[in-house]
Amino acid sequence: MIKVGLTGGIGAGKSTVARTFVEQGAYLVDSDAIAREVVAPGSAGLAALVEAFGPEILDDHGALDRAALAARAFTDAQSTQKLNAVTHPLIGARTAELFAAAPDDAIILHDVPLLVENGMAPLYDAVVVVHTDADVRLDRLVQHRGMDREDARQRIDKQATDEQRREVADIWLVNHGSPEELAAEALRVWNEELIPLRDKKSGA
């Protein structure tokens, strides 16, 4: 078993790489999906958030209104700390459960957008970074996701720099072409780098 951390700036093409790895048999642990799961309707996590921030963070269907939560949780450091105190232990516990359930010969793919920002690189046997220049990512977010250009720029600026990502990258995947070209390169990485790394660690 090996643990592979996958990261990259918003709009870099990380989902294409993750999908390619999963198609080849990777055991996916998706941090964004876990973050949504632990505060799903009816969960203890959502109840704890309501207790901390009030029922105004719920939408008309009783689900979490993320914009309403953000308006309360990111106003100051104390509020953000309160949010993290609720969500981080739940996310950590669920992540540990999923890791423990992986097969012994698995290549665990931990998809973590903020891997670099949270100092998580030492946790993995390999870190894969999907890289695309910031200007290209900005155009993709505006054209393909319909994001406001200034909002997209602010999100990019809040994330780690290319230099910070390169410092922790074991595998640097450059995405300046089509999704098909990126998928082909990801497949090469799977076959030529990740499979041999798993086999070497297992003594195969």
Side-chain angles (χ1 to χ4, degrees):
M1 175 193 296
I2 60 170
K3 298 175 182 177
V4 176
L6 174 65
T7 194
I10 183 172
K14 187 164 55 66
S15 60
T16 296
V17 175
R19 185 166 55 250
T20 302
F21 288 168
V22 170
E23 287 171 354
Q24 297 305 309
Y27 178 92
L28 178 64
V29 179
D30 185 331
S31 61
D32 280 347
I34 292 171
R36 291 190 296 270
E37 177 186 334
V38 299
V39 293
S43 67
L46 184 58
L49 287 180
V50 171
E51 183 176 346
F53 295 101
E56 296 82 9
I57 64 170
L58 300 177
D59 64 19
D60 294 339
H61 304 287
L64 180 63
D65 182 332
R66 294 187 177 276
L69 175 62
R72 289 163 174 77
F74 299 119
T75 53
D76 56 69
Q78 186 176 0
S79 297
T80 303
Q81 188 174 12
K82 187 192 301 185
L83 170 66
N84 292 341
V86 172
T87 58
H88 283 188
L90 295 171
I91 292 169
R94 181 59 178 148
T95 301
E97 285 179 5
L98 292 172
F99 271 53
D104 290 341
D105 63 347
I107 294 178
I108 299 175
L109 180 66
H110 195 194
D111 186 336
V112 190
L114 300 181
L115 183 154
V116 178
E117 292 84 344
N118 291 334
M120 298 172 64
L123 301 176
Y124 305 103
D125 297 287
V127 172
V128 178
V129 175
V130 185
H131 168 73
T132 306
D133 290 340
D135 289 344
V136 176
R137 290 192 279 126
L138 180 62
D139 288 341
R140 286 177 181 167
L141 293 172
V142 172
Q143 295 172 12
H144 301 310
R145 298 196 195 179
M147 291 178 62
D148 174 78
R149 180 169 288 272
E150 188 55 35
D151 179 39
R153 187 182 300 277
Q154 288 179 4
R155 293 197 187 196
I156 289 173
D157 290 344
K158 287 179 181 177
Q159 293 188 332
T161 64
D162 292 341
E163 290 74 20
Q164 289 170 323
R165 293 193 184 97
R166 192 179 285 276
E167 283 180 7
V168 304
D170 297 295
I171 298 168
W172 186 259
L173 274 174
V174 177
N175 176 21
H176 287 160
S178 67
E180 292 77 18
E181 289 172 320
L182 179 60
E185 181 62 12
L187 180 60
R188 183 199 65 76
V189 166
W190 176 268
N191 288 324
E192 298 181 11
E193 300 193 54
L194 297 184
I195 290 288
L197 181 63
R198 189 271 314 271
D199 291 348
K200 180 180 179 181
K201 187 173 181 181
S202 65

